[in-house]
Amino acid sequence: MTIKLGVPSKGRLMEKTFDWFGARGVTLTRTGSEREYAGAVDGVDGVDLVLLSAGEIPRELAAGRIHLGVTGNDLIQEKLVQWDQKVEPLAPLGFGHANLIVAVPNCWVDVDTLDDLDGAAAAFRARHGFRMRIATKYHRLVRDYLRRGGVADYQLVDSQGATEGTVKNLTAEAIADITSTGETLRANHLKILDEPPVLESQATLFRSRRAEVTDQERAALRALIERLGL
C-alpha cells in the first residue's frame, strides 16, 4: 500500500504544485497522454500521485480515499461541513491567492457596506415583491458571512460559471465570487463592498484525518513530510 497524494490535474494550479514540490526535492510528473490522469512521484518512496480536479480533492480527502491533497481552502471550507474535523492544513503553498468577496453594481452608489446591502435588500423586496438575488457557488460560506453581517431579505442563486455576468444578464442583483485582481468585476461594472472578504484563499496542502494508514504508509507519510520540511 502507498500514500496517495492528490493534486490538481491541469492548468496553473498543477504546474505551480509541481514546482512547489520540485523545489523541495520531490518531483511530480504527469505520465501518459494529456487525456490520461496518471502521474509519478520521484524523490520519496511509497507515494502515488493522483490527478484530480481541485473541486474533487476536498471530497476525496474527507472520504479518506487520498491521504494528502492540494486545493484551495475556499473549496475545503465550502464543500466540507465541519471541515477541520475531516482534514488538517499542513502548509499554505504561496500561490493561487484569491479572495471570496461580495460585489454589487457600480450604479448602487449608496451601497458600500453590509449595512447598506441589508437596507438595499429590504428596499428591493418592498419594491419588487421578491428577495434580492445574490449569485454564487459558495452557498455555505456566503450564507454564514451575510448572517454574521446582519443581512436579511436576500436569496442565493446558484452560479457555477461566469458569475460576474449574472447581473448584466438580469439573473441576479449582486454576486459573491472568488477574485484575484478584480479586473473581471470592473469589466462587468461591479464593485466590491468595502468590507473584509468572506474568505482569503490560497492553494494549501491538506492531510486527511479520515484516511486509514498502515505502519508502512505512516513511515512513508512521515518521510514525505520531512522531505518537504514541514
Side-chain angles (χ1 to χ4, degrees), residues 2-226:
T2 57
I3 292 297
K4 291 181 172 56
L5 167 64
V7 306
S9 59
K10 58 185 178 181
R12 287 182 58 82
L13 272 182
M14 182 186 76
E15 295 169 3
K16 292 283 190 179
T17 299
F18 282 15
D19 290 344
W20 188 89
F21 276 85
R24 289 156 179 80
V26 178
T27 302
L28 308 182
T29 54
R30 186 165 187 165
T31 60
S33 70
E34 283 296 314
R35 294 181 181 274
E36 291 182 76
Y37 292 96
V41 180
D42 292 311
V44 64
D45 293 330
V47 181
D48 282 343
L49 182 61
V50 181
L51 296 173
L52 301 163
S53 74
E56 290 176 312
I57 290 173
R59 180 190 64 206
E60 297 301 294
L61 285 166
R65 288 188 287 266
I66 59 176
H67 300 84
L68 300 170
V70 173
T71 189
N73 53 299
D74 60 312
L75 295 175
I76 288 285
Q77 294 187 39
E78 172 63 25
K79 291 178 177 289
L80 302 183
V81 179
Q82 297 180 319
W83 66 272
D84 53 342
Q85 297 182 19
K86 299 171 182 175
V87 299
E88 173 192 6
L90 293 182
L93 304 190
F95 58 85
H97 292 277
N99 289 342
L100 177 56
I101 54 82
V102 177
V104 300
N106 284 333
C107 60
W108 291 15
V109 294
D110 295 327
V111 179
D112 294 304
T113 67
L114 288 174
D115 282 343
D116 297 338
L117 185 65
D118 182 51
F124 182 91
R125 187 176 188 184
R127 171 176 291 186
H128 298 283
F130 62 93
R131 293 180 176 180
M132 182 182 68
R133 299 164 296 178
I134 302 176
T136 189
K137 61 181 178 182
Y138 295 94
H139 290 243
R140 189 191 319 279
L141 290 170
V142 172
R143 188 180 297 111
D144 288 347
Y145 178 79
L146 295 177
R147 175 182 52 79
R148 293 194 306 270
V151 180
D153 277 335
Y154 71 91
Q155 59 179 315
L156 297 181
V157 294
D158 194 50
S159 174
Q160 293 301 320
T163 302
E164 298 92 342
T166 57
V167 174
K168 181 179 180 180
N169 294 332
L170 304 180
T171 57
E173 284 68 53
I175 71 164
D177 201 15
I178 282 285
T179 183
S180 54
T181 66
E183 290 182 8
T184 306
L185 295 172
R186 290 189 288 272
N188 285 276
H189 310 291
L190 299 170
K191 63 178 181 179
I192 300 172
L193 291 185
D194 188 17
E195 297 278 3
V198 180
L199 181 73
E200 296 179 348
S201 182
Q202 67 173 300
T204 302
L205 176 63
F206 290 93
R207 179 184 70 84
S208 171
R209 297 186 186 273
R210 299 288 180 86
E212 297 181 357
V213 291
T214 65
D215 290 342
Q216 182 179 359
E217 290 168 342
R218 188 174 291 106
L221 179 60
R222 187 180 303 114
L224 175 60
I225 290 174
E226 289 176 357

